[in-house]
Structures are given as C-alpha cells and as structure tokens.
Amino acid sequence: MFRSLRRALCAGAAALLLPLGVGAHTAHAAAVPGAGHWHTSGRQILDAAGQPVRIAGINWFGFETANHVVHGLWSRDYKSMIDQMKSLGYNTIRLPYSDDIFKPSTVPNSIDFSSGKNADLQGLSSLQVMDKLVAYAGQDGLKVILDRHRPDSGGQSALWYTAAVPESTWIADLKALAARYQGQDTVIGIDLHNEPHDPACWGCGDTATDWRLAAERAGDAVLSVNPDLLIFVEGVQTYGGVSGWWGGNLMGVAQYPVRLDVANRVVYSAHDYATSVAQQPWFSDPAFPANMPGVWDRYWGYIFKQNIAPVWVGEFGTTLASTVDQKWLAALVSYLRPTSTYGGDSFHWTFWSWNPNSGDTGGILKDDWTTVDTVKDGYLASVKAPLFPGTGTGGGGGGGGGGGSTAGCSASYTVSSDWGSGFNAEVKVTNTGTSAISSWKVTWTWSGSQQVTNMWNASYTQSGSTVTAVNASHNGAIAVGGSADFGFGGAPGGGGVPSVTCTAA
C-alpha cells in the first residue's frame, strides 16, 4: 500500500524429508536440495529429485529504475555483493525490473568501473548485465527470481498494463525472459507483476481488471516457452470489500485459484509491511502483536495451512525504528516457521531489501553499501536456509608471478563501528611482493571472547580466539601494489585491534 513512497531514492507434513539447517554459510555438497528445475506439491516446493526446498532470500532492486541496473554498482563490484549475500546465508535473489530494459535504446548507468570494479560489465546492455548477475549467483549457489516490477521506470502501476505498455508487450517480454533463461536452473521462476492494486480485482470476471485471469494468460504464455519455471502470482489490494497491502490480499484464491496449463507451477506471493511504510488497522488493535497470525491467516496464510499451494512472502521490510515495527517483524518471522524445526515445510520469503536506499524500509546494507545492519539481519536468522548446489566456481582470475619473483602481502584491520554488544570491521589486503598473487590468507587472534558472526568477500574459520580468513573467488588475484578488501561482523564489542598476518600465493 502507498508504494509510491518506497522505491529508489537514487534516480501438515513434517520436514523429515529435508536436511535443512539454519543460517547456512557454505553450500553442503550433494546432500543439499535444490538441484535441477523445481515444481510444487501441495504447499511445498520440490527440486528435481523431489526434495523440499526453502526460498530464503533478499530483494536487490534497480533494474526497474532509471538506472536500468541493480543499485550499488556505483560503490562496489557486483560479485562482492553477491558473495556477501551468500556469506550472510541468503539463498535467493529477487531482481525487480521494468519493461524498459527490453528497449534497444536502454543503457545501464551509474556503474563504477574504477580499480577493476565491474570490469566485465562494461559495454553491456541491461539484459546482458542481468545475465552476468544470474550466472555469478548460480556459481555461488544462489537462485534468482525475476520480478516484473513496473511497466516502465517511471513508477508502479495498479494494473499489469498501461496505455504505453499494453498487455501484449507485458506478455511478449515475459516470454522473452523465459526463453532467455531456458535450461538455466539458477532462474527458478518469474513474479508476473508487482503489487496489483485497486482497481485490480480477483475473480470478478472482467478481463480488463481481473488479475487472476491475467495471471493465467501470462503464466500459460511463459510456460509455453519454458515449462520448467515456477509462476509467482501476487495478490491484489481488495477482495470482497476487504482491503490490505498492495499485492498482499490473496483471499480470492479459495474460490478462484490460478489454473495453468502446466500442473504444479503456481506459487502465491504476498507482500507485508510495517508502520514505516503505512499504518494498518491491525497495528492499533489492543491485542497486537498477538493478533497478527490471524491477520496473516486470513489474507494469505490459509493457502499454505490448507495445503493449497506454496506461499512466498516476496517483500517484507521495515526501518525497525519503532517498537511496533520490531514486534511486527519478530511476529512475522515466527509465523514464517523456523527452518530448524520445519525445514522446507515452511513459508518462503525474500526480504526487502538489500539496498539501503529504500526510502521507507532501508536495507540489510547500511548507507555505505558495505556495512551490514546486523540487528535487522539478525531477526531473520531462524528462517534462513542452506544454499543450493552451485553451477561452478566463482569468477575472478589472475595468475601467480614468474620465476625469481616473490609473493607477499600485508593486512590492515580497522573497526568501522562498535556498539558494545557487537561490531563491524574491515580488513585491507595489499600485495607487497614483486609479483602478482592469486590467493591470500589473513590470520589474527583476539585477546577477548569475540566471535565472527558473518563475513563478506572472504570465507573464514575460527578456532578459539584465532580467526583465519581466505579470499573469495573474485578477489584472490591482486596485482603488485594493488589491494583487496573484506569485512565482517563480530560480537561482543570489538575491543582492541589485534595484530594481523597475511600470507600470499
């Protein structure tokens, strides 16, 4: 609801089938579900082998804006951000886009290519950049959901079409995406249109406004090109005189389910927000937050609980500035069902958003596009789920030095923020040798009881108070005199800066 407020500021079965754990930070080998193309069975999503999977991910927006590409590339390399998502335990990326990216005249902008950042994106179209993101996410073991967010970059639309972007264009572009990623199981499905709202209806029978009928037309068109995709169908705003969040009202599914030509492909999607987006009557209910499960049951939770179909909360977010919002998020996370108890027999989700520049929610990243909001991220720990089998090694490259040359590196450790119960730190690795290096390892020992809680742009092990961090696949190669950075969160507070050692190869 009131979604014009939020977008870019810068231009019954138990889970006995599934070995899912909480907050996985590395992909487990063959035991991890997720291989191949996915389908639905009752309220669960299953992989090609019939194992339940759980979507536990993040929204990374920008393709739908006038930048025509994900935001933040003006600050960082795209691979480093995907690696950071992986390190935090997110297993899926929802990528919003507008139909503008299909226009030959569209050129992505606001990408920083300095110091080697985003080097392989230079000269590419928006769709070609999307290809790069999908490929790297797949290598990292993440899945991608493509979200038709807007007809054009100018703003959100109530219906799936406008005078400038008719239904025929919407469907043609959906089919083009389906064909583009045919055979690539990193892309698991398409969210047909973001947040239909009044005058959109569900089951009213008017082809001009009945979103359920439009979703059937579009879903069948997508599956005619690529029958392996999941079709994600959001709700509307009002059904039977009862209103809620834009896209968040799925009450009509009980009487009017979405019927597609290919069975077991529909996943229903709801959006739900807190008071930082808009007020709703349930926030002022004296029973709040105990009333919230009943609200969610009514609007969309019943679909899961009655085993009708899987339910994916494609967007939910908050600034967490108010006590009401904090209680709301804690209640919603509990309602989504902890992975450790239910595994893949759970609601699916992608949090809004990765980006810090979402005006009424903020993001998992803070305004520097690097530091993690560990409080916000911490709320999601119980519903995170393991990564999926990757499609290969990550990017990066670079070779070692020639004969007679020496490899060497140094590392500097800086505490960027410390709030007593936790801290964030950055480490800069510099090649001090006489040859290029292809990998590096940094080690330090804390004098206190600190533990790493998450790390990005590197992987780590910790034994007692000693931490060893090893480069990610994309930043191991450093030219002579060059540098690479990684960061991490820890707890409790940072205390003194330890001495660090660096070894290179």
Side-chain angles (χ1 to χ4, degrees):
M1 202 171 196
F2 309 119
R3 310 315 303 287
S4 58
L5 296 176
R6 194 189 80 255
R7 286 302 177 261
L9 296 183
C10 183
L16 43 135
L17 298 177
L18 181 60
L20 282 174
V22 176
H25 286 240
T26 58
H28 304 297
V32 176
H37 298 288
W38 295 1
H39 61 283
T40 69
S41 178
R43 68 190 191 181
Q44 294 186 339
I45 300 175
L46 308 180
D47 67 9
Q51 300 181 93
V53 293
R54 184 175 204 182
I55 297 167
I58 195 81
N59 284 271
W60 188 8
F61 68 79
F63 277 108
E64 84 283 15
T65 72
N67 299 104
H68 308 303
V69 72
V70 287
H71 286 177
L73 301 189
W74 53 70
S75 294
R76 293 177 59 188
D77 185 88
Y78 75 95
K79 295 176 182 176
S80 73
M81 283 202 272
I82 294 173
D83 286 342
Q84 189 177 11
M85 295 173 193
K86 173 184 176 178
S87 75
L88 291 172
Y90 298 102
N91 66 22
T92 303
I93 306 171
R94 180 177 182 253
L95 287 178
Y97 71 88
S98 86
D99 291 76
D100 281 351
I101 68 172
F102 296 91
K103 298 177 180 177
S105 59
T106 296
V107 178
N109 61 79
S110 302
I111 303 176
D112 182 8
F113 299 113
S114 68
S115 304
K117 288 193 292 291
N118 302 302
D120 57 341
L121 304 185
Q122 292 196 64
L124 301 186
S125 68
S126 294
L127 284 169
Q128 290 169 330
V129 173
M130 184 179 284
D131 293 342
K132 289 286 188 179
L133 268 63
V134 167
Y136 194 81
Q139 291 170 359
D140 259 3
L142 280 70
K143 298 296 187 182
V144 173
I145 298 170
L146 304 175
D147 157 46
R148 195 285 191 134
H149 210 74
R150 300 173 174 176
D152 57 56
S153 61
Q156 181 63 33
S157 63
L159 300 173
W160 55 96
Y161 63 91
T162 62
V165 184
E167 178 174 310
S168 58
T169 299
W170 171 55
I171 289 180
D173 291 344
L174 287 170
K175 290 174 69 175
L177 275 185
R180 190 178 192 93
Y181 296 110
Q182 189 171 20
Q184 299 186 42
D185 59 16
T186 297
V187 176
I188 57 173
I190 299 179
D191 187 345
L192 296 177
H193 178 63
N194 186 66
E195 296 185 349
H197 55 277
D198 296 346
C201 60
W202 190 290
C204 66
D206 182 347
T207 55
T209 57
D210 192 330
W211 166 236
R212 177 255 198 167
L213 294 180
E216 292 179 344
R217 295 192 295 272
D220 283 339
V222 167
L223 294 171
S224 73
V225 174
N226 187 344
D228 294 318
L229 293 175
L230 296 174
I231 303 298
F232 296 92
V233 182
E234 299 188 28
V236 291
Q237 178 183 357
T238 303
Y239 180 82
V242 179
S243 294
W245 295 111
W246 289 4
N249 190 332
L250 285 158
M251 296 168 64
V253 170
Q255 185 173 355
Y256 302 105
V258 171
R259 307 149 303 179
L260 299 178
D261 291 340
V262 181
N264 303 317
R265 292 295 182 271
V266 176
V267 178
Y268 292 103
S269 175
H271 290 183
D272 200 87
Y273 279 98
T275 60
S276 62
V277 172
Q279 285 291 336
Q280 295 282 9
W282 42 81
F283 295 127
S284 56
D285 186 324
F288 179 86
N291 64 316
M292 291 310 302
V295 172
W296 295 318
D297 282 351
R298 184 185 189 194
Y299 280 89
W300 44 266
Y302 76 93
I303 298 171
F304 173 85
K305 293 186 176 182
Q306 294 179 20
N307 202 38
I308 296 169
V311 175
W312 168 54
V313 184
E315 292 184 21
F316 63 107
T318 167
T319 60
L320 282 181
S322 72
T323 301
V324 169
D325 285 28
Q326 294 161 14
K327 291 179 178 179
W328 165 86
L329 184 55
L332 180 56
V333 167
S334 177
Y335 184 82
L336 295 178
R337 300 165 66 106
T339 306
S340 60
T341 304
Y342 296 101
D345 188 36
S346 304
F347 292 95
H348 305 272
W349 58 273
T350 44
F351 188 73
W352 188 276
S353 62
W354 180 248
N355 310 45
N357 61 326
S358 178
D360 49 9
T361 66
I364 289 297
L365 293 185
K366 296 189 176 182
D367 288 343
D368 62 2
W369 280 95
T370 299
T371 306
V372 175
D373 186 329
T374 53
V375 175
K376 193 176 288 188
D377 181 66
Y379 272 87
L380 306 173
S382 66
V383 290
K384 290 181 181 179
L387 292 159
F388 306 111
T391 58
T393 58
S405 59
T406 60
C409 62
S410 65
S412 60
Y413 177 119
T414 304
V415 176
S416 55
S417 58
D418 191 334
W419 55 94
S421 60
F423 69 102
N424 286 320
E426 304 290 331
V427 179
K428 182 176 184 178
V429 179
T430 301
N431 182 350
T432 57
T434 59
S435 66
I437 61 176
S438 58
S439 64
W440 46 262
K441 178 173 65 176
V442 175
T443 303
W444 67 87
T445 300
W446 280 309
S447 58
S449 59
Q450 290 84 3
Q451 296 284 317
V452 175
T453 56
N454 59 79
M455 184 174 289
W456 50 96
N457 296 334
S459 58
Y460 74 94
T461 57
Q462 181 166 355
S463 177
S465 57
T466 299
V467 179
T468 300
V470 178
N471 61 273
S473 57
H474 70 276
N475 64 357
I478 307 177
V480 176
S483 62
D485 300 277
F486 68 94
F488 63 91
V497 174
S499 61
V500 293
T501 60
C502 184
T503 56

